[in-house]
Amino acid sequence: MIRSTAKAIFDRAGGLKCIRWLNRRRLRILMYHRFADRAALARQCEHIRAWYQPVAMHAAADWLEGRAALPPYAVAVTVDDGYRDFLEAGHPIFAEYGIPVTVYLVTDFLDGKSWLWFDRVVQAFLVARVGEAAVEMPGGKALTFTLDSEAARRAAGQRVADLAVSWSAAERSALVERLPRLLRAELPARAPAEFQPLAWDDVRRLAERGVEFGAHTRSHPILSAVADPAELRGEIAGSKARIECELQKPVLHFCYPNGKMPDIGPVVMEAVRAAGMRTAVTAEPGLNTARQDAFLLRRIGTDPGHEQMYFARGLAGLRG
């Protein structure tokens, strides 16, 4: 409570405005995923329009390459993965406020070949037919969950998915394979409504309305764990080519799955450059200067459900 009060006093005294001004020459890149709350997103867009200058990722690329300047208080909006709720709830609000958006697509997800592993984990818990489950972690420790309500099942699934982000690819794959048996859960071959992707027809219509699309791999692996050079090229250049085939226009922006530095590395960065991208975004927090490596761009993670002052402080350049 003391910390929250101190933050409120700092903001009311003009501290937030000062931080915003000090960072006016830096590029902010927002990172969204899902859009469950349209009203909350509208409030965030109102804040963006009141204090910042929205720009597209191609404008950010021109700036990083020294081709053009950005306006002060520049902010770019990006969306990861390619869920259908961007079409239904996200894009209408961004369009209403005239805010350009870049959406990074996982192409196997859109092609119906697979749905995202973390959604499979959450769904397995949601449809579990057991009242309690012990999930073994790497190293032999097990976490026990009581699954006596939908809220408890969803929280358990999200907890396990969050923990598994830092596991090896083999450990995550084993988890996704064993969870349905452990939980006596039946998972469909295609994603259920909550986790459905955009259709390619949706992508084409959104592109006609000005949405920019980038590549986010074929299957959302941790790229630093992909040892086979041909597989790595397929994930990066293959996803780019798949989107270009559908849109008949170049795809020049990339998003690293998970996006932390251990998930990337120089071999992955070189593969992204070799694929012909102009920029690549991470999930590392922070703002970007004109000297920032265009293939290691920092972003500000956000969600429409975030408290408004938290959103405002993060966008200004404050952490915590």
Side-chain angles (χ1 to χ4, degrees), residues 68-90:
L70 283 181
Y73 305 101
V75 58
V77 172
T78 64
V79 178
D80 291 8
D81 301 327
Y83 289 98
R84 185 172 178 80
D85 63 4
F86 172 73
L87 172 71
E88 298 167 341

Side-chain angles (χ1 to χ4, degrees), residues 1-13 15-16 309-310 313 318-320:
M1 182 178 293
I2 293 173
R3 189 176 179 187
S4 297
T5 301
K7 288 179 180 179
I9 293 171
F10 174 83
D11 296 339
R12 283 198 298 269
L16 190 60
M309 185 51 67
Y310 176 87
R313 290 172 63 86
L318 287 169
R319 298 188 195 179

Side-chain angles (χ1 to χ4, degrees), residues 257-270:
N258 202 39
K260 297 298 185 180
M261 292 306 295
D263 308 316
I264 304 171
V267 172
V268 174
M269 289 175 63
E270 181 53 37

Side-chain angles (χ1 to χ4, degrees), residues 289-302:
T289 70
R291 296 183 298 276
Q292 181 73 25
D293 189 325
F295 294 88
L296 286 175
L297 294 175
R298 296 176 176 273
R299 291 192 291 174
I300 302 164
T302 192

Side-chain angles (χ1 to χ4, degrees), residues 75-269:
V75 58
V77 172
T78 64
V79 178
D80 291 8
D81 301 327
Y83 289 98
R84 185 172 178 80
D85 63 4
F86 172 73
L87 172 71
E88 298 167 341
H91 176 258
I93 304 299
F94 289 123
E96 180 182 345
Y97 286 88
I99 296 174
V101 182
T102 298
V103 180
Y104 299 105
L105 302 175
V106 179
T107 53
D108 279 1
F109 183 37
L110 271 70
D111 283 334
K113 295 180 180 179
S114 63
W115 42 303
L116 301 178
W117 71 265
F118 35 87
D119 293 336
R120 294 177 69 88
V121 169
V122 172
Q123 181 68 10
F125 277 91
L126 285 175
V127 298
R129 290 185 291 175
V130 297
E132 187 176 275
V135 181
E136 186 175 343
M137 302 286 109
K141 181 181 178 181
L143 294 181
T144 301
F145 299 95
T146 299
L147 309 175
D148 56 359
S149 68
E150 181 178 349
R153 291 193 293 272
R154 185 178 295 277
Q158 194 60 61
R159 174 83 191 286
V160 172
D162 289 344
L163 289 170
V165 165
S166 63
W167 298 1
S168 71
E171 288 166 340
R172 274 193 304 277
S173 178
L175 170 73
V176 173
E177 183 177 344
R178 74 173 183 269
L179 265 185
R181 295 194 300 273
L182 175 68
L183 300 174
R184 294 173 55 204
E186 294 183 10
L187 298 184
R190 300 178 72 90
E194 179 180 352
F195 304 119
Q196 278 189 356
L198 292 164
W200 287 113
D201 283 344
D202 300 328
V203 172
R204 282 186 286 272
R205 284 194 294 269
L206 288 165
E208 290 170 358
R209 298 170 189 169
V211 176
E212 192 168 40
F213 287 95
H216 195 24
T217 72
R218 283 176 168 169
S219 63
H220 206 281
I222 301 301
L223 290 173
S224 61
V226 178
D228 182 352
E231 183 181 351
L232 184 65
R233 286 194 301 272
E235 287 288 349
I236 297 168
S239 63
K240 169 183 164 74
R242 182 72 186 93
I243 302 166
E244 289 175 338
C245 178
E246 292 290 343
L247 293 183
Q248 294 298 299
K249 63 172 63 174
V251 169
L252 302 173
H253 307 287
F254 186 78
C255 176
Y256 301 106
N258 202 39
K260 297 298 185 180
M261 292 306 295
D263 308 316
I264 304 171
V267 172
V268 174
M269 289 175 63

Side-chain angles (χ1 to χ4, degrees), residues 10-94:
F10 174 83
D11 296 339
R12 283 198 298 269
L16 190 60
K17 186 176 181 179
C18 180
I19 296 297
R20 189 186 296 124
W21 182 84
L22 289 172
N23 288 323
R24 68 195 183 281
R25 299 297 179 190
R26 299 189 176 197
L27 170 66
R28 300 143 168 89
I29 305 176
L30 289 177
M31 174 178 62
Y32 286 93
H33 289 83
R34 306 301 306 270
F35 299 95
D37 190 335
R38 293 180 59 152
L41 179 61
R43 288 192 293 272
Q44 292 181 348
C45 288
E46 286 175 5
H47 181 82
I48 290 170
R49 271 301 181 189
W51 297 104
Y52 298 95
Q53 296 288 331
V55 299
M57 282 303 296
H58 65 262
D62 288 343
W63 175 64
L64 291 162
E65 294 166 2
R67 300 172 184 268
L70 283 181
Y73 305 101
V75 58
V77 172
T78 64
V79 178
D80 291 8
D81 301 327
Y83 289 98
R84 185 172 178 80
D85 63 4
F86 172 73
L87 172 71
E88 298 167 341
H91 176 258
I93 304 299
F94 289 123

